[in-house]
Amino acid sequence: MRVVIQDNYDKMCKWAAQYIAAKIKNHKEDRPFVLGLPTGSSPIGVYKELYTMNQAGELSFANVVTFNMDEYLGLPHEHDQSYWYFMHDNFFDHLVDMKKENINILNGMTDDPEGECKRYEEKIASYGGIDLFMGGIGVDGHIAFNEPFTSLSSRTGVRNLTTDTRIVNSRFFGNDPEAVPAQALSVGVGTVTDSKEVLILINGHNKARALAETVEGSVSHKWTCSALQMHNGAIIACDEAACGELTVDTYKYFLDIEKKERL
Ligand SMILES: N[C@@H]1[C@@H](O)[C@H](O)[C@@H](COP(=O)(O)O)O[C@@H]1O
């Protein structure tokens, strides 16, 4: 696992965006680059960096297919807290050459959630899998909506959200946890770790424990992010604020090993 520690949120976002841009540009295969994407406040700065490069003609998305991690069950596209809305508002609408048909987001209004999830897995497989999955992390260490004790080999499916997550996400729903949908569709931990590379953004003091558990904790379904320790291409991009619960030797190790700032 790589842990790339940047001074602050802006630098973390710049680093992550440059990493993703380099991967897209260097993709020479005769098939699209397949990019997994998250919602949340953490990736907003990365999206801004990416669409700025795109608008400046420095990075094309014409040959990129995207798959989003998750979506609330029961929210229509036009709901301003649906992840469909978030992704268009914060990213897709700003790209000049992203093809609509290359955007994949789980349909939270489906009548057949199980079928929708199966279809999603099949579509990912039809592209030969995901090249790079970018993600965020919940304060309880969840990746996508894989709450504590979700199987580390789980696939795309329906997830019940914990009270903790609904309280955390209630900041977007008028501070009312009951207004946060109780269920979501989410890629599984296994879906994420099947990707060739996984890049997780972890920033801010409130994510310090989640970062420590991801990097230093045991591999455990209690912290679903810890599954990344078993992945051969996992990168954590974080800021100083999130490092508060790492042991000093871990912190120094990653600063030392990443000194060369390899992309
Ligand atoms: N389902 C999403 C996750 O994919 C995201 O990682 C998490 C953290 O969001 P934020 O980046 O706003 O802290 O929020 C939600 O629960």
Side-chain angles (χ1 to χ4, degrees):
M1 174 185 280
R2 290 181 65 189
V3 178
V4 178
I5 303 166
Q6 296 291 320
D7 292 345
N8 54 44
Y9 175 74
D10 287 349
K11 287 188 180 167
M12 177 194 82
C13 291
K14 278 201 171 72
W15 187 91
Q18 276 166 17
Y19 186 87
I20 294 166
K23 290 286 162 176
I24 294 172
K25 285 181 193 170
N26 293 335
H27 180 77
K28 305 287 182 220
E29 289 172 42
D30 189 20
R31 60 174 192 92
F33 186 83
V34 186
L35 181 62
L37 295 174
T39 58
S41 45
S42 310
I44 288 177
V46 181
Y47 289 143
K48 200 166 176 207
E49 292 287 333
L50 288 173
Y51 71 63
T52 303
M53 287 184 231
N54 177 253
Q55 290 170 2
E58 297 160 10
L59 174 66
S60 171
F61 278 81
N63 195 34
V64 177
V65 169
T66 63
F67 284 89
N68 260 83
M69 286 190 142
D70 43 18
E71 177 60 285
Y72 286 117
L73 256 184
L75 292 192
H77 289 173
E78 58 276 14
H79 190 292
D80 65 4
Q81 292 309 325
S82 78
Y83 286 173
W84 190 98
Y85 187 99
F86 174 97
M87 287 307 300
H88 286 78
D89 195 33
N90 286 287
F91 191 44
F92 296 132
D93 287 351
H94 302 274
L95 295 173
V96 298
D97 60 355
M98 182 78 205
K99 295 176 186 143
K100 269 200 174 109
E101 63 272 24
N102 285 350
I103 297 171
N104 295 283
I105 301 177
L106 284 154
N107 176 12
M109 294 302 285
T110 179
D111 295 335
D112 174 19
E114 302 297 338
E116 170 69 5
C117 294
K118 189 167 174 285
R119 185 194 63 77
Y120 208 65
E121 286 277 344
E122 287 168 357
K123 196 156 182 202
I124 292 171
S126 77
Y127 284 105
I130 291 177
D131 291 296
L132 170 63
F133 219 133
M134 173 167 73
I137 195 170
V139 288
D140 61 2
H142 69 239
I143 43 177
F145 265 131
N146 295 295
E147 299 281 31
F149 305 108
T150 306
S151 164
L152 299 186
S153 60
S154 53
R155 311 304 307 187
T156 305
V158 180
R159 301 287 187 270
N160 296 328
L161 305 191
T162 61
T163 302
D164 281 355
T165 292
R166 292 176 79 200
I167 290 170
V168 171
N169 289 1
S170 68
R171 69 193 191 279
F172 302 116
F173 290 83
N175 292 319
D176 175 11
E178 287 298 316
V180 181
Q183 290 186 307
L185 303 179
S186 173
V187 296
V189 180
T191 319
V192 175
T193 55
D194 273 359
S195 311
K196 293 190 189 84
E197 287 188 278
V198 183
L199 168 60
I200 301 292
L201 309 168
I202 307 184
N203 61 282
H205 293 279
N206 65 336
K207 301 286 175 69
R209 179 152 184 221
L211 176 59
E213 293 289 348
T214 305
V215 179
E216 298 177 335
S218 309
V219 175
S220 163
H221 55 177
K222 185 166 184 184
W223 292 86
T224 55
C225 51
S226 66
L228 297 172
Q229 291 179 26
M230 304 296 289
H231 195 283
N232 198 24
I235 306 177
I236 308 294
C238 62
D239 67 358
E240 285 285 345
C243 292
E245 295 206 27
L246 290 179
T247 54
V248 173
D249 57 343
T250 302
Y251 175 78
K252 283 186 171 173
Y253 172 84
F254 284 112
L255 282 186
D256 177 41
I257 209 84
E258 291 292 340
K259 242 188 295 193
K260 294 180 198 73
E261 291 187 19
R262 60 202 160 104
L263 273 183

